[in-house]
Amino acid sequence: MKIAIIGGGIGGTATACALRAKGFEVALFEQAAAFGEVGAGVQITPNAVKAIMGLGLDHKLDAVAFRPRAVSGRHWQSGRQNFRIDLGEEFRAHYRAPFLHIHRADLLDVFASELPPEVCHFNKRLEGVAQTGAGVQLQFADGSRFEADLVVGADGVRSAVRREVFGAGDLRWTGHQCYRALVPTGGVVGHVAPESAFWMGPKAHVVTYYVKGGAAVNIVAVTEAAEWVEESWSARSSRTAMLKDFEGWHPDLQKLFEGVDEVYNWGLFDRDPMPGWSKGAVTLLGDACHPMLPFLSQGAAMAIEDAYVLAQALALHPDAPGAALAAYEAERLPRTARVQLEARERGRTYHLPSEDEMAARDAEYARRAKEDPRTTGINTDWVYDYDPRDFAARRAA
Ligand SMILES: Cc1cc2nc3c(=O)[nH]c(=O)nc-3n(C[C@H](O)[C@H](O)[C@H](O)COP(=O)(O)OP(=O)(O)OC[C@H]3O[C@@H](n4cnc5c(N)ncnc54)[C@H](O)[C@@H]3O)c2cc1C
């Protein structure tokens, strides 16, 4: 079976690795001239680390990742800690994997460096998909074509594969925009500690964490906006704009923001969960089928889990791709839909407008923390506990 993957982001490259590990012939098509990621960090939670362990690539991940000591929730103005999840030995043993912080380019490279040059086709922007009885005909912007037995659309939130096969559908403006920046760790102060800190304030929140093995702090600072005016959804912004939007926030954050050089500005879009991801010999993966708000830190994680499960499903049904795609969707669609919807809900609870509502939320976080220190506040036990490596055994049972 000849499998074409459209998109060379984290999802597409992970898929190519997972399929090749199962012995499938793969061709990956990326519209850019080379693999590349934006200069920002990503949190990789234990559920996704387990998929990477399943691919035998965790040694590469470990070499470039930073291990934070905790996830902590903080009050926007006072810096008071509202919840804390210790990420030490007990956490790692419970979830059978660590919680990691990593620069996006480093994560992409964990997968991309596994792919031989003959598998990767650059400057190939997909424009058309036609299913014939014999296979799938792909049409690229440069006029070239490719014939595949199976196609995986891993081409992101504005997926051309999705548009061609399912129609464009609505990309939903979530009412959130974010600033993203990296700051060298040298100037970092106080509460911006080597942990994943969630600073929650009125109609905004900030997440700070270490990447590049601890050499830099990644900042994601989210505010609400009536509409997104930029044509691009990753535009340049400025330190001044960022400082203005976070006026009055804790001095440690202000100090961190003052050290920012390059700032990117993203409008955050998502979609409603889809009823299905596959038609004939074409399926979707990652942001192409389940774009989500980043408030549970799960977009890339879900794409990596998808990649691992899709390869296992195809290996279970090598002569019946239809059955494989049905098994893939049955495993992945309910989970990713729940994550999409819960991430939306976090958009509301992280941004409560008044101090009274924030105090009630924080009291609830404290109550949950007392009940079970692992699930505290952001309630992520069900997300982290999932182990994609169990998929084949669960199917067989
Ligand atoms: C602010 C922010 C913070 C985030 N933080 C986290 C986090 O902490 N943890 C986490 O797990 N996730 C996080 N995410 C989500 C994560 O970044 C995405 O979910 C993930 O990158 C999706 O990967 P993908 O491969 O599906 O899509 P993409 O990364 O969008 O890759 C798609 C690829 O397809 C290519 N492409 C597009 N169209 C075509 C075409 N027509 N032909 C050929 N190639 C094409 C693109 O060039 C690109 O290389 C965050 C997102 C944001 C915005």
Side-chain angles (χ1 to χ4, degrees), residues 129-179:
V129 179
Q131 303 214 41
T132 63
V136 189
Q137 182 80 233
L138 300 172
Q139 170 79 56
F140 295 95
D142 63 0
S144 63
R145 290 170 187 273
F146 188 82
E147 181 100 25
D149 300 310
L150 189 81
V151 173
V152 183
D155 48 346
V157 63
R158 290 163 199 263
S159 168
V161 177
R162 178 186 168 124
R163 181 196 67 220
E164 290 296 294
V165 176
F166 294 93
D170 282 337
L171 196 55
R172 203 183 68 100
W173 165 242
T174 64
H176 298 93
Q177 66 92 37
C178 71
Y179 298 98

Short mmCIF file of all heavy atoms in Angstrom, two decimals, residues 129-179:
data_model
loop_
_atom_site.label_atom_id
_atom_site.label_comp_id
_atom_site.label_asym_id
_atom_site.label_seq_id
_atom_site.Cartn_x
_atom_site.Cartn_y
_atom_site.Cartn_z
N VAL A 129 -7.90 16.75 -4.87
CA VAL A 129 -7.93 15.34 -4.48
C VAL A 129 -9.06 14.69 -5.26
O VAL A 129 -10.21 15.14 -5.17
CB VAL A 129 -8.23 15.18 -2.97
CG1 VAL A 129 -8.27 13.71 -2.57
CG2 VAL A 129 -7.20 15.94 -2.12
N ALA A 130 -8.76 13.65 -6.04
CA ALA A 130 -9.82 12.96 -6.78
C ALA A 130 -9.71 11.46 -6.50
O ALA A 130 -8.64 10.88 -6.67
CB ALA A 130 -9.70 13.23 -8.27
N GLN A 131 -10.80 10.89 -6.05
CA GLN A 131 -10.78 9.44 -5.78
C GLN A 131 -11.27 8.73 -7.03
O GLN A 131 -12.35 9.00 -7.54
CB GLN A 131 -11.69 9.11 -4.60
CG GLN A 131 -11.30 9.86 -3.35
CD GLN A 131 -11.53 9.05 -2.08
OE1 GLN A 131 -11.27 7.86 -2.03
NE2 GLN A 131 -12.02 9.71 -1.05
N THR A 132 -10.44 7.82 -7.51
CA THR A 132 -10.84 6.98 -8.64
C THR A 132 -11.03 5.58 -8.06
O THR A 132 -10.64 5.34 -6.93
CB THR A 132 -9.73 6.94 -9.70
OG1 THR A 132 -8.58 6.32 -9.09
CG2 THR A 132 -9.34 8.33 -10.17
N GLY A 133 -11.58 4.67 -8.83
CA GLY A 133 -11.75 3.31 -8.33
C GLY A 133 -10.42 2.71 -7.91
O GLY A 133 -10.32 2.00 -6.91
N ALA A 134 -9.36 3.09 -8.63
CA ALA A 134 -8.06 2.45 -8.41
C ALA A 134 -7.26 3.06 -7.27
O ALA A 134 -6.33 2.45 -6.75
CB ALA A 134 -7.25 2.54 -9.69
N GLY A 135 -7.56 4.28 -6.89
CA GLY A 135 -6.76 4.93 -5.84
C GLY A 135 -7.15 6.39 -5.71
O GLY A 135 -8.26 6.77 -6.05
N VAL A 136 -6.21 7.20 -5.23
CA VAL A 136 -6.49 8.63 -5.05
C VAL A 136 -5.46 9.42 -5.86
O VAL A 136 -4.25 9.21 -5.74
CB VAL A 136 -6.38 9.04 -3.56
CG1 VAL A 136 -6.89 10.46 -3.37
CG2 VAL A 136 -7.14 8.07 -2.67
N GLN A 137 -5.98 10.33 -6.67
CA GLN A 137 -5.13 11.19 -7.51
C GLN A 137 -4.95 12.54 -6.80
O GLN A 137 -5.94 13.20 -6.47
CB GLN A 137 -5.90 11.37 -8.83
CG GLN A 137 -5.22 12.17 -9.87
CD GLN A 137 -4.17 11.37 -10.65
OE1 GLN A 137 -3.06 11.84 -10.71
NE2 GLN A 137 -4.52 10.23 -11.21
N LEU A 138 -3.68 12.89 -6.55
CA LEU A 138 -3.40 14.17 -5.89
C LEU A 138 -2.86 15.16 -6.90
O LEU A 138 -2.01 14.81 -7.72
CB LEU A 138 -2.38 13.96 -4.76
CG LEU A 138 -2.79 13.00 -3.66
CD1 LEU A 138 -1.62 12.74 -2.70
CD2 LEU A 138 -3.98 13.54 -2.88
N GLN A 139 -3.34 16.39 -6.81
CA GLN A 139 -2.92 17.43 -7.75
C GLN A 139 -2.24 18.55 -6.96
O GLN A 139 -2.79 19.06 -5.99
CB GLN A 139 -4.18 17.97 -8.45
CG GLN A 139 -3.97 19.21 -9.30
CD GLN A 139 -3.35 18.87 -10.64
OE1 GLN A 139 -3.88 18.06 -11.39
NE2 GLN A 139 -2.20 19.48 -10.93
N PHE A 140 -1.01 18.93 -7.38
CA PHE A 140 -0.26 19.96 -6.66
C PHE A 140 -0.21 21.27 -7.45
O PHE A 140 -0.36 21.26 -8.68
CB PHE A 140 1.14 19.45 -6.33
CG PHE A 140 1.11 18.28 -5.38
CD1 PHE A 140 1.14 16.98 -5.85
CD2 PHE A 140 0.98 18.50 -4.01
CE1 PHE A 140 1.06 15.90 -4.99
CE2 PHE A 140 0.90 17.42 -3.13
CZ PHE A 140 0.94 16.12 -3.62
N ALA A 141 0.09 22.36 -6.72
CA ALA A 141 0.08 23.69 -7.33
C ALA A 141 1.13 23.82 -8.44
O ALA A 141 0.97 24.61 -9.36
CB ALA A 141 0.32 24.75 -6.26
N ASP A 142 2.22 23.04 -8.36
CA ASP A 142 3.26 23.14 -9.39
C ASP A 142 2.91 22.32 -10.64
O ASP A 142 3.73 22.16 -11.53
CB ASP A 142 4.61 22.69 -8.82
CG ASP A 142 4.61 21.21 -8.41
OD1 ASP A 142 3.55 20.54 -8.55
OD2 ASP A 142 5.65 20.73 -7.93
N GLY A 143 1.70 21.77 -10.67
CA GLY A 143 1.25 21.04 -11.86
C GLY A 143 1.52 19.54 -11.76
O GLY A 143 1.01 18.77 -12.58
N SER A 144 2.28 19.10 -10.77
CA SER A 144 2.59 17.67 -10.66
C SER A 144 1.42 16.91 -10.04
O SER A 144 0.53 17.48 -9.40
CB SER A 144 3.87 17.46 -9.85
OG SER A 144 3.68 17.93 -8.53
N ARG A 145 1.44 15.59 -10.25
CA ARG A 145 0.40 14.72 -9.70
C ARG A 145 1.04 13.55 -8.99
O ARG A 145 2.20 13.23 -9.25
CB ARG A 145 -0.46 14.14 -10.85
CG ARG A 145 -1.32 15.15 -11.52
CD ARG A 145 -1.94 14.53 -12.79
NE ARG A 145 -2.65 15.55 -13.54
CZ ARG A 145 -3.91 15.87 -13.32
NH1 ARG A 145 -4.61 15.26 -12.39
NH2 ARG A 145 -4.49 16.81 -14.03
N PHE A 146 0.27 12.91 -8.14
CA PHE A 146 0.76 11.70 -7.45
C PHE A 146 -0.44 10.79 -7.23
O PHE A 146 -1.53 11.24 -6.91
CB PHE A 146 1.38 12.08 -6.10
CG PHE A 146 2.08 10.93 -5.41
CD1 PHE A 146 3.38 10.57 -5.75
CD2 PHE A 146 1.43 10.20 -4.41
CE1 PHE A 146 4.02 9.51 -5.11
CE2 PHE A 146 2.07 9.15 -3.76
CZ PHE A 146 3.36 8.80 -4.11
N GLU A 147 -0.20 9.51 -7.43
CA GLU A 147 -1.27 8.53 -7.24
C GLU A 147 -0.96 7.70 -6.00
O GLU A 147 0.13 7.15 -5.87
CB GLU A 147 -1.28 7.61 -8.49
CG GLU A 147 -2.34 6.56 -8.47
CD GLU A 147 -3.56 6.93 -9.32
OE1 GLU A 147 -3.39 7.74 -10.25
OE2 GLU A 147 -4.64 6.41 -9.00
N ALA A 148 -1.92 7.65 -5.07
CA ALA A 148 -1.70 6.89 -3.82
C ALA A 148 -2.85 5.92 -3.59
O ALA A 148 -3.95 6.10 -4.11
CB ALA A 148 -1.60 7.86 -2.65
N ASP A 149 -2.58 4.91 -2.77
CA ASP A 149 -3.65 3.98 -2.38
C ASP A 149 -4.45 4.54 -1.21
O ASP A 149 -5.62 4.23 -1.04
CB ASP A 149 -3.04 2.62 -1.97
CG ASP A 149 -2.26 2.00 -3.11
OD1 ASP A 149 -2.81 1.93 -4.23
OD2 ASP A 149 -1.09 1.64 -2.90
N LEU A 150 -3.75 5.33 -0.38
CA LEU A 150 -4.39 5.91 0.80
C LEU A 150 -3.79 7.29 1.03
O LEU A 150 -2.58 7.47 0.85
CB LEU A 150 -4.11 5.01 2.01
CG LEU A 150 -4.87 5.34 3.27
CD1 LEU A 150 -6.28 4.74 3.19
CD2 LEU A 150 -4.18 4.77 4.50
N VAL A 151 -4.62 8.25 1.44
CA VAL A 151 -4.13 9.62 1.69
C VAL A 151 -4.48 10.04 3.12
O VAL A 151 -5.61 9.86 3.56
CB VAL A 151 -4.74 10.61 0.67
CG1 VAL A 151 -4.36 12.05 1.01
CG2 VAL A 151 -4.28 10.27 -0.74
N VAL A 152 -3.49 10.62 3.80
CA VAL A 152 -3.71 11.15 5.15
C VAL A 152 -3.53 12.66 5.08
O VAL A 152 -2.44 13.15 4.78
CB VAL A 152 -2.69 10.56 6.15
CG1 VAL A 152 -2.98 11.07 7.56
CG2 VAL A 152 -2.69 9.04 6.11
N GLY A 153 -4.60 13.40 5.35
CA GLY A 153 -4.53 14.87 5.35
C GLY A 153 -4.09 15.34 6.72
O GLY A 153 -4.87 15.34 7.68
N ALA A 154 -2.81 15.74 6.81
CA ALA A 154 -2.27 16.28 8.08
C ALA A 154 -1.84 17.71 7.81
O ALA A 154 -0.77 18.14 8.21
CB ALA A 154 -1.10 15.42 8.55
N ASP A 155 -2.70 18.44 7.08
CA ASP A 155 -2.30 19.76 6.59
C ASP A 155 -2.93 20.91 7.36
O ASP A 155 -3.15 21.99 6.83
CB ASP A 155 -2.57 19.88 5.07
CG ASP A 155 -3.96 19.43 4.66
OD1 ASP A 155 -4.64 18.78 5.47
OD2 ASP A 155 -4.36 19.73 3.52
N GLY A 156 -3.19 20.67 8.65
CA GLY A 156 -3.46 21.77 9.56
C GLY A 156 -4.87 22.33 9.52
O GLY A 156 -5.76 21.83 8.82
N VAL A 157 -5.05 23.39 10.30
CA VAL A 157 -6.38 23.93 10.57
C VAL A 157 -7.10 24.38 9.28
O VAL A 157 -8.31 24.31 9.18
CB VAL A 157 -6.27 25.06 11.62
CG1 VAL A 157 -5.45 26.22 11.12
CG2 VAL A 157 -7.61 25.52 12.11
N ARG A 158 -6.33 24.81 8.28
CA ARG A 158 -6.95 25.21 7.00
C ARG A 158 -6.75 24.13 5.95
O ARG A 158 -6.43 24.42 4.79
CB ARG A 158 -6.39 26.55 6.54
CG ARG A 158 -6.87 27.68 7.45
CD ARG A 158 -6.04 28.94 7.30
NE ARG A 158 -6.23 29.81 8.46
CZ ARG A 158 -7.07 30.84 8.50
NH1 ARG A 158 -7.78 31.17 7.46
NH2 ARG A 158 -7.19 31.55 9.60
N SER A 159 -6.91 22.91 6.33
CA SER A 159 -6.62 21.74 5.50
C SER A 159 -7.26 21.77 4.10
O SER A 159 -8.48 21.91 3.96
CB SER A 159 -7.14 20.50 6.25
OG SER A 159 -7.14 19.37 5.40
N ALA A 160 -6.40 21.60 3.09
CA ALA A 160 -6.91 21.50 1.72
C ALA A 160 -7.55 20.13 1.50
O ALA A 160 -8.52 20.01 0.74
CB ALA A 160 -5.77 21.72 0.72
N VAL A 161 -7.03 19.11 2.17
CA VAL A 161 -7.61 17.76 2.01
C VAL A 161 -9.04 17.78 2.55
O VAL A 161 -9.98 17.30 1.90
CB VAL A 161 -6.77 16.69 2.75
CG1 VAL A 161 -7.41 15.33 2.63
CG2 VAL A 161 -5.33 16.67 2.23
N ARG A 162 -9.19 18.37 3.69
CA ARG A 162 -10.54 18.47 4.28
C ARG A 162 -11.48 19.24 3.34
O ARG A 162 -12.61 18.81 3.08
CB ARG A 162 -10.43 19.16 5.64
CG ARG A 162 -11.77 19.35 6.30
CD ARG A 162 -11.67 20.18 7.58
NE ARG A 162 -13.01 20.53 7.99
CZ ARG A 162 -13.54 20.28 9.18
NH1 ARG A 162 -12.83 19.69 10.09
NH2 ARG A 162 -14.77 20.61 9.45
N ARG A 163 -11.00 20.37 2.85
CA ARG A 163 -11.83 21.19 1.95
C ARG A 163 -12.25 20.38 0.72
O ARG A 163 -13.41 20.37 0.32
CB ARG A 163 -11.00 22.41 1.51
CG ARG A 163 -11.73 23.38 0.60
CD ARG A 163 -10.75 24.31 -0.07
NE ARG A 163 -9.88 23.61 -1.00
CZ ARG A 163 -8.57 23.85 -1.16
NH1 ARG A 163 -7.97 24.76 -0.41
NH2 ARG A 163 -7.86 23.17 -2.04
N GLU A 164 -11.28 19.65 0.13
CA GLU A 164 -11.55 18.91 -1.10
C GLU A 164 -12.51 17.74 -0.87
O GLU A 164 -13.30 17.42 -1.73
CB GLU A 164 -10.24 18.38 -1.68
CG GLU A 164 -9.34 19.45 -2.25
CD GLU A 164 -9.99 20.14 -3.43
OE1 GLU A 164 -10.18 19.49 -4.46
OE2 GLU A 164 -10.32 21.34 -3.30
N VAL A 165 -12.39 17.09 0.29
CA VAL A 165 -13.14 15.86 0.51
C VAL A 165 -14.44 16.09 1.29
O VAL A 165 -15.44 15.43 1.04
CB VAL A 165 -12.24 14.81 1.22
CG1 VAL A 165 -13.00 13.55 1.54
CG2 VAL A 165 -11.03 14.49 0.34
N PHE A 166 -14.41 17.05 2.22
CA PHE A 166 -15.59 17.26 3.07
C PHE A 166 -16.23 18.63 2.87
O PHE A 166 -17.24 18.95 3.49
CB PHE A 166 -15.22 17.12 4.55
CG PHE A 166 -14.79 15.73 4.94
CD1 PHE A 166 -13.45 15.36 4.91
CD2 PHE A 166 -15.73 14.78 5.32
CE1 PHE A 166 -13.05 14.09 5.26
CE2 PHE A 166 -15.35 13.50 5.67
CZ PHE A 166 -14.01 13.15 5.65
N GLY A 167 -15.61 19.50 2.06
CA GLY A 167 -16.10 20.87 1.93
C GLY A 167 -15.39 21.74 2.97
O GLY A 167 -14.87 21.22 3.96
N ALA A 168 -15.42 23.05 2.74
CA ALA A 168 -14.62 23.95 3.58
C ALA A 168 -15.11 23.99 5.03
O ALA A 168 -14.32 23.98 5.97
CB ALA A 168 -14.63 25.35 2.99
N GLY A 169 -16.43 24.01 5.24
CA GLY A 169 -16.97 24.08 6.61
C GLY A 169 -16.57 25.38 7.29
O GLY A 169 -15.87 26.21 6.71
N ASP A 170 -17.03 25.54 8.50
CA ASP A 170 -16.76 26.80 9.19
C ASP A 170 -15.57 26.69 10.12
O ASP A 170 -15.52 25.82 10.97
CB ASP A 170 -17.98 27.21 10.03
CG ASP A 170 -19.05 27.80 9.17
OD1 ASP A 170 -18.72 28.28 8.07
OD2 ASP A 170 -20.22 27.75 9.58
N LEU A 171 -14.64 27.61 9.95
CA LEU A 171 -13.55 27.77 10.91
C LEU A 171 -14.11 28.78 11.91
O LEU A 171 -14.57 29.84 11.53
CB LEU A 171 -12.33 28.30 10.18
CG LEU A 171 -10.99 28.20 10.87
CD1 LEU A 171 -10.69 26.78 11.27
CD2 LEU A 171 -9.89 28.70 9.93
N ARG A 172 -14.10 28.43 13.19
CA ARG A 172 -14.77 29.25 14.19
C ARG A 172 -13.80 30.21 14.86
O ARG A 172 -12.79 29.77 15.42
CB ARG A 172 -15.39 28.32 15.24
CG ARG A 172 -16.56 28.91 16.01
CD ARG A 172 -17.02 27.90 17.07
NE ARG A 172 -16.03 27.73 18.10
CZ ARG A 172 -16.06 28.32 19.31
NH1 ARG A 172 -17.05 29.11 19.62
NH2 ARG A 172 -15.10 28.13 20.19
N TRP A 173 -14.06 31.49 14.80
CA TRP A 173 -13.27 32.47 15.56
C TRP A 173 -13.66 32.31 17.03
O TRP A 173 -14.82 32.40 17.39
CB TRP A 173 -13.57 33.89 15.06
CG TRP A 173 -13.11 34.96 15.99
CD1 TRP A 173 -13.87 35.89 16.62
CD2 TRP A 173 -11.75 35.22 16.40
NE1 TRP A 173 -13.08 36.70 17.40
CE2 TRP A 173 -11.78 36.30 17.28
CE3 TRP A 173 -10.53 34.62 16.10
CZ2 TRP A 173 -10.64 36.81 17.89
CZ3 TRP A 173 -9.38 35.12 16.71
CH2 TRP A 173 -9.44 36.21 17.58
N THR A 174 -12.68 31.99 17.89
CA THR A 174 -13.01 31.64 19.27
C THR A 174 -13.14 32.86 20.19
O THR A 174 -13.50 32.72 21.35
CB THR A 174 -11.92 30.73 19.87
OG1 THR A 174 -10.70 31.48 19.91
CG2 THR A 174 -11.75 29.46 19.05
N GLY A 175 -12.79 34.04 19.67
CA GLY A 175 -12.83 35.24 20.51
C GLY A 175 -11.55 35.42 21.33
O GLY A 175 -11.51 36.24 22.23
N HIS A 176 -10.52 34.60 21.01
CA HIS A 176 -9.26 34.70 21.74
C HIS A 176 -8.12 34.97 20.76
O HIS A 176 -8.09 34.43 19.66
CB HIS A 176 -8.94 33.38 22.45
CG HIS A 176 -9.95 33.00 23.47
ND1 HIS A 176 -11.01 32.18 23.19
CD2 HIS A 176 -10.06 33.33 24.78
CE1 HIS A 176 -11.74 32.02 24.28
NE2 HIS A 176 -11.19 32.70 25.26
N GLN A 177 -7.20 35.80 21.22
CA GLN A 177 -5.95 35.97 20.47
C GLN A 177 -4.80 35.84 21.45
O GLN A 177 -4.99 36.06 22.65
CB GLN A 177 -5.93 37.31 19.72
CG GLN A 177 -5.91 38.55 20.59
CD GLN A 177 -4.50 39.02 20.87
OE1 GLN A 177 -3.63 38.94 20.01
NE2 GLN A 177 -4.25 39.50 22.08
N CYS A 178 -3.62 35.44 20.96
CA CYS A 178 -2.53 35.30 21.93
C CYS A 178 -1.22 35.88 21.41
O CYS A 178 -1.00 35.96 20.20
CB CYS A 178 -2.34 33.85 22.33
SG CYS A 178 -1.67 32.82 21.07
N TYR A 179 -0.41 36.31 22.36
CA TYR A 179 0.97 36.72 22.08
C TYR A 179 1.84 35.52 22.39
O TYR A 179 1.63 34.85 23.41
CB TYR A 179 1.40 37.86 22.99
CG TYR A 179 0.59 39.12 22.86
CD1 TYR A 179 -0.45 39.40 23.74
CD2 TYR A 179 0.86 40.03 21.84
CE1 TYR A 179 -1.18 40.57 23.63
CE2 TYR A 179 0.13 41.20 21.73
CZ TYR A 179 -0.89 41.46 22.62
OH TYR A 179 -1.62 42.61 22.50
#
